[in-house]
Amino acid sequence: MSTTIIGFPRLGEFRELKFTTEKYFRKEISEEELLAAAKELRAKHWNIVKEKGITEIPSNDFSHYDNFLDAAFLFNVVPASVQNLDLSELERYFALARGYQGEKGDVRALPMKKWFNTNYHYIVPKFEKDTQVKLAGHKIFDEFQEAKELGLNTRPVLVGPFTFLQLSDFEEGVKAEDFVDSLVAAYQEVFAKLAELGATRIQLDEAALVKDLTAEEKALFLNLCNKLLADKKGLEVLLQTYFGDVRDVYADLVNLPVDAIGLDFVEGKKTLDLVKGGFPADKTLYAGIVNGKNIWRNNYEKSLAVLEQIPAENIVLTSSCSLLHVPFTTANEEFEPAILNHFAFAVEKLEELRDLDAIRNGQGAEALAANKELFATERVGENAELRARIAGLTDADYTRLPAFAEREAIQEEAFKLPALPTTTIGSFPQTKEVRAKRLAYRKGELSQEEYDAFLAETIDEWIKWQEEVGFDVLVHGEFERNDMVEYFGQNLSGYLFSKNGWVQSYGMRGVKPPIIWGDVTRLNPITVKWSSYAQSRTDKPVKGMLTGPVTILNWSFPREDISIKDSTLQIALAIKDEVLDLEAAGVKIIQIDEAALREKLPLRRSDWYEDYLDWAIPAFRLVHSTVAPDTQIHTHMCYSEFTDIIPAIDNMDADVISFEASRSNLEILDELKAKNFQTEVGPGVYDIHSPRVPNEGEIDNTIEAILAKVPSKKVWINPDCGLKTRGIPETKESLIRLVEAAKAAREKL
Ligand code: GLN
Ligand code: ZN
């Protein structure tokens, strides 16, 4: 009997790691205290996994920031500028993750990208000409030892060499192939050292194998494997994949000298077919059967039916991906049992694995019966009126008229904005005070009048400040919102909210995705009150802020009983109603954020349009198709590369789009040019994910780079993203620089 998981959430049951790390960042606790707290947390998590009856326990799935960055430090893929900083090892690590600005130096944070099709973001290491790949870290050994001292022989988890190279950046003049030998040698050193410490197995995560692979990429993978596996230093190697199937390399995988292969039977459309074609008797199959991404209970009958078809002799049951992507436990939730019974978070998924394993071994009849009963009863009814509205949609509902070029002229006339108009993405810093007031209001300690007065006052201050600094299109600051999805969900029917359902998003930050429980409709106007209030306080245009349907869907836990497309259309209609109400209230510029549009883009290019863009882009158009020509629709995107979906973005038919660009060195500009991008565009001119204030001249250079590629009449000047996570001083300083730089550039036009 064998069960395992690919990884466990790191932040802690109550996000302890986040809070402790933030204390450390604020210098309220020492490095030793942070390290001790992390150690305690790891022990707690290992014990939970063990107590739930999981037989193989992973280690090194923990991270102080990001496990991809951990691998970069392990293998010395760290720029010399950071290596030479006169700081502690941990400080250097955080410097690379978050940027560092102090008396010891000035370091920019590495870029961050979405981890495959999840809302987790990894730090992108960069291989440079003088990168010397070698074993340079010790975290993986320390954590193995730590578990061993607790009596656990764990299976260390490490990014595999192929995925490490595939997902890293390379300075011009170097390429992945240049590092194959040194990287293989370094991995083998890791193997040897782990074996010496008493490890028997290692898990190499090769999720990059679930994408479409070119012949060169496949050759690189096989070359790495052949060299690496030629000497495993006595370790058993589990080659773990997730987020899809490995159709491009399955035939090769089964012939590799690995000891075990981990496959995803949840998201892998072809996984079952692949293994049905044969699985080698000398290898163990780690069958990812419990969904590591959703929060719904596993349907045991369905899972067992899949498992029965697998011809492998040795099967270990596991999660479909790391449980990092689900909240910690349902134990701290307050839903009534009839609801709660439908949910399984990380800890409960451990129980499901144990149950499934037991049932397969002829036990667990009770668990199976209870599970069958749960799925036999109807969970939720449908909204007939809404279903009819969706059934009645025609092509015209997805088309905005007149066409973009005509609207652009109308809007130029209507708004009379200067060249290179300046704006921000919506939110301003959510200070302690803002959060405290919201909490007090929620708890009933602050009356509606008092809370409203506070919000109005805060909005007034920021409107005035934006006018003084000279912004062209203002925002109200989003002070009333906790989160860009939760805030909307709270005003939609069919949504449920967990108390502690946090999932790690980037760094120590978590998001708490709401749960789509039933059909979605708008309960009442959501943003009209504060957007129209802000507009009433100034003669400058104020942008109304909404979250788009695709993002609301992608940042929620979706239903599994209806399609994602259908859920998205329901949300799109709700947001459409909001757009029309805003417009009617005199808000003439409306931004519909689609920060997460790319998130659910299928990992295989071949599936992009059919499985996703062909309905996601129309869903966005549905939201704004009926506004007047002189209402300007903005959208905003961040956290990922959009370079490859530029035509689809143009096809959203917004009037203006802003997107995160500064951390990826504005790579996207060439593509905008190549694809003759029509939508007006504001590529972010500075990184808001770090507290670092751009230097004098830095934004000017960025604007110059933008103007070299995009016609000036299309360009907007804005930061990368919203500013709610930033402090006030750095925000104001940065934004003043932004407006100054825009004005200077305007002069030069
Ligand atoms: N309007 C949102 C904000 O400014 C956008 C956030 C996002 O793109 N993640 O906070
Ligand atoms: Zn953003």
Side-chain angles (χ1 to χ4, degrees):
M1 290 182 51
S2 270
T3 48
T4 190
I5 50 171
I6 294 177
F8 196 71
R10 308 165 187 147
L11 292 185
E13 183 169 2
F14 300 105
R15 290 182 296 158
E16 296 89 324
L17 188 63
K18 167 191 163 74
F19 297 117
T20 314
T21 306
E22 285 171 352
K23 274 190 200 150
Y24 163 78
F25 288 154
R26 291 195 302 265
K27 300 200 167 41
E28 290 164 20
I29 60 166
S30 67
E31 184 171 318
E32 288 67 39
E33 285 170 295
L34 171 61
L35 294 175
K39 183 173 177 181
E40 205 177 296
L41 209 55
R42 287 192 290 269
K44 178 181 165 187
H45 295 173
W46 282 322
N47 273 320
I48 292 174
V49 177
K50 184 182 162 208
E51 274 164 22
K52 290 295 175 189
I54 297 297
T55 55
E56 270 184 42
I57 303 176
S59 62
N60 201 41
D61 50 341
F62 172 86
S63 180
H64 275 289
Y65 204 89
D66 165 47
N67 44 358
F68 217 85
L69 184 63
D70 295 340
F73 271 84
L74 178 65
F75 295 126
N76 205 41
V77 187
V78 177
S81 59
V82 172
Q83 293 197 8
N84 297 334
L85 279 181
D86 180 23
L87 297 171
S88 77
E89 204 180 344
L90 189 68
E91 285 170 325
R92 288 202 300 271
Y93 173 83
F94 284 130
L96 203 50
R98 316 167 67 232
Y100 173 87
Q101 209 171 25
E103 70 256 32
K104 309 243 171 98
D106 184 3
V107 173
R108 282 202 201 199
L110 282 179
M112 189 163 64
K113 275 187 193 158
K114 265 187 208 300
W115 179 241
F116 295 87
N117 52 0
T118 72
N119 185 26
Y120 178 76
H121 301 81
Y122 75 101
I123 298 277
V124 189
K126 185 163 188 178
F127 286 80
E128 299 175 337
K129 282 193 203 94
D130 54 4
T131 300
Q132 297 282 332
V133 174
K134 62 177 185 199
L135 177 58
H138 45 82
K139 175 179 176 291
I140 188 170
F141 311 119
D142 295 350
E143 287 178 21
F144 177 79
Q145 276 286 75
E146 211 176 287
K148 202 172 162 198
E149 277 155 28
L150 299 170
L152 304 170
N153 191 308
T154 55
R155 182 190 69 234
V157 178
L158 183 57
V159 177
F162 177 65
T163 300
F164 189 54
L165 289 173
Q166 282 291 96
L167 270 58
S168 291
D169 277 345
F170 291 84
E171 187 185 21
E172 219 173 281
V174 290
K175 53 185 189 319
E177 285 72 14
D178 304 339
F179 298 95
V180 165
D181 289 336
S182 52
L183 196 58
V184 163
Y187 270 88
Q188 282 173 335
E189 255 188 89
V190 172
F191 288 10
K193 190 123 194 239
L194 283 174
E196 197 184 298
L197 293 172
T200 52
R201 253 178 225 138
I202 185 164
Q203 169 183 327
L204 296 181
D205 283 1
E206 290 287 18
L209 294 177
V210 308
K211 298 178 112 180
D212 288 329
L213 299 177
T214 62
E216 294 77 45
E217 287 168 330
K218 208 171 134 176
L220 173 65
F221 169 68
L222 292 175
N223 184 21
L224 282 162
C225 282
N226 288 332
K227 290 186 167 161
L228 179 64
L229 301 170
D231 187 359
K232 296 186 278 182
K233 309 286 178 192
L235 280 194
E236 288 175 17
V237 172
L238 160 61
L239 197 140
Q240 182 66 53
T241 65
Y242 39 83
F243 302 143
D245 65 62
V246 292
R247 64 187 87 149
D248 296 359
V249 286
Y250 184 76
D252 304 286
L253 285 187
V254 292
N255 288 314
L256 285 175
V258 293
D259 304 272
I261 301 173
L263 301 175
D264 178 351
F265 286 84
V266 175
E267 271 192 283
K269 286 200 276 189
K270 298 236 160 97
T271 304
L272 186 57
D273 286 343
L274 290 171
V275 292
K276 274 187 184 165
F279 189 85
D282 65 340
K283 298 191 200 319
T284 304
L285 174 63
Y286 281 60
I289 196 75
V290 167
N291 194 330
K293 276 185 177 170
N294 78 359
I295 41 91
W296 301 98
R297 279 241 162 254
N298 187 281
N299 184 326
Y300 290 175
E301 264 191 310
K302 281 195 183 161
S303 295
L304 293 164
V306 171
L307 293 170
E308 259 159 41
Q309 299 174 62
I310 299 178
E313 279 167 38
N314 304 310
I315 298 181
V316 176
L317 298 189
T318 185
S319 51
S320 66
C321 61
S322 169
L323 299 180
L324 174 73
H325 308 294
V326 289
F328 200 93
T329 176
T330 63
N332 304 310
E333 300 302 333
E334 290 165 9
F335 299 119
E336 53 188 274
I339 292 176
L340 198 63
N341 277 340
H342 287 276
F343 300 144
F345 296 176
V347 171
E348 293 72 36
K349 286 176 191 288
L350 303 175
E351 294 164 0
E352 293 184 334
L353 284 162
R354 184 202 54 203
D355 281 353
L356 285 168
D357 197 42
I359 298 166
R360 274 166 54 79
N361 287 284
Q363 299 146 17
E366 235 170 88
L368 179 59
N371 189 271
K372 273 188 190 169
E373 199 183 305
L374 182 73
F375 282 92
T377 42
E378 182 187 289
R379 192 177 56 78
V380 66
E382 25 181 275
N383 178 332
E385 200 184 319
L386 173 65
R387 301 279 174 121
R389 191 176 169 195
I390 289 179
L393 293 172
T394 66
D395 283 354
D397 292 296
Y398 296 97
T399 315
R400 185 174 173 199
L401 292 171
F404 173 77
E406 204 175 315
R407 290 187 329 251
E408 197 177 29
I410 295 173
Q411 290 168 16
E412 198 182 323
E413 204 36 49
F415 295 107
K416 296 211 161 42
L417 294 171
L420 308 179
T422 50
T423 190
T424 56
I425 307 305
S427 59
F428 283 131
Q430 296 240 334
T431 54
K432 264 203 184 115
E433 194 194 9
V434 170
R435 278 175 286 147
K437 295 275 189 203
R438 191 162 57 226
L439 192 66
Y441 165 67
R442 279 222 206 136
K443 284 189 183 158
E445 292 159 10
L446 207 63
S447 71
Q448 183 75 50
E449 292 70 38
E450 287 166 316
Y451 184 54
D452 284 356
F454 167 75
L455 288 175
E457 197 182 303
T458 314
I459 290 171
D460 285 352
E461 272 170 34
W462 279 93
I463 289 283
K464 193 158 158 264
W465 186 83
Q466 292 171 85
E467 282 182 332
E468 278 166 13
V469 172
F471 274 97
D472 301 306
V473 173
L474 317 192
V475 297
H476 77 287
E478 300 183 23
F479 301 106
E480 75 286 7
R481 303 183 191 177
N482 38 3
D483 170 281
M484 64 185 287
V485 172
E486 187 169 285
Y487 183 71
F488 285 84
Q490 275 159 348
N491 294 285
L492 300 173
S493 73
Y495 261 92
L496 290 179
F497 301 90
S498 64
K499 283 256 163 340
N500 288 287
W502 296 94
V503 180
Q504 194 168 358
S505 171
Y506 76 92
M508 287 296 108
R509 284 184 203 282
V511 291
K512 190 154 66 70
I515 298 165
I516 306 180
W517 174 259
D519 282 358
V520 175
T521 53
R522 189 179 69 143
L523 295 169
N524 45 264
I526 305 168
T527 65
V528 177
K529 176 170 162 182
W530 292 117
S531 289
S532 55
Y533 172 77
Q535 183 62 84
S536 76
R537 308 296 287 170
T538 175
D539 295 331
K540 290 262 174 88
V542 175
K543 238 189 328 185
M545 290 294 150
L546 302 174
T547 305
V550 186
T551 296
I552 293 186
L553 187 285
N554 284 351
W555 281 350
S556 303
F557 285 113
R559 293 166 72 167
E560 293 192 330
D561 58 335
I562 67 171
S563 73
I564 288 183
K565 173 186 170 182
D566 285 340
S567 267
T568 309
L569 286 179
Q570 294 182 356
I571 300 167
L573 288 174
I575 301 299
K576 182 183 185 71
D577 295 345
E578 183 71 15
V579 166
L580 296 176
D581 279 357
L582 269 179
E583 187 183 41
V587 178
K588 303 295 280 177
I589 301 186
I590 301 170
Q591 178 174 307
I592 307 162
D593 291 327
E594 283 292 14
L597 184 104
R598 202 182 193 286
E599 191 165 298
K600 294 272 160 73
L601 191 68
L603 293 173
R604 290 181 185 277
R605 227 170 229 275
S606 39
D607 297 337
W608 279 6
Y609 282 86
E610 202 175 317
D611 286 4
Y612 185 71
L613 293 171
D614 284 350
W615 58 262
I617 302 294
F620 181 87
R621 287 204 307 263
L622 176 61
V623 173
H624 68 89
S625 58
T626 48
V627 298
D630 61 350
T631 293
Q632 191 170 65
I633 298 296
H634 289 220
T635 186
H636 165 73
M637 294 188 191
C638 50
Y639 299 140
S640 46
E641 276 185 27
F642 308 105
T643 320
D644 39 14
I645 56 164
I646 293 297
I649 294 177
D650 234 0
N651 205 8
M652 291 163 81
D653 204 20
D655 299 304
V656 182
I657 175 169
S658 62
F659 51 77
E660 176 183 339
S662 73
R663 260 187 157 188
S664 43
N665 294 322
L666 300 161
E667 277 163 17
I668 195 166
L669 298 176
D670 291 312
E671 200 55 21
L672 293 178
K673 192 173 174 188
K675 293 280 160 25
N676 188 22
F677 195 64
Q678 286 305 304
T679 315
E680 295 187 3
V681 59
V685 295
Y686 80 88
D687 175 20
I688 62 90
H689 298 95
S690 118
R692 186 180 171 279
V693 174
N695 290 328
E696 193 97 39
E698 218 172 289
I699 297 183
D700 304 71
N701 292 341
T702 306
I703 295 178
E704 205 172 303
I706 294 171
L707 291 176
K709 301 277 165 64
V710 187
S712 61
K713 70 180 229 321
K714 295 267 182 205
V715 176
W716 286 65
I717 307 296
N718 47 258
D720 262 350
C721 190
L723 297 156
K724 72 169 173 226
T725 58
R726 295 272 63 91
I728 291 184
E730 80 231 20
T731 296
K732 289 195 167 170
E733 239 184 286
S734 303
L735 290 180
I736 289 171
R737 283 227 159 126
L738 178 147
V739 173
E740 279 170 1
K743 284 184 178 160
R746 208 174 276 163
E747 296 280 293
K748 282 196 235 157
L749 284 183

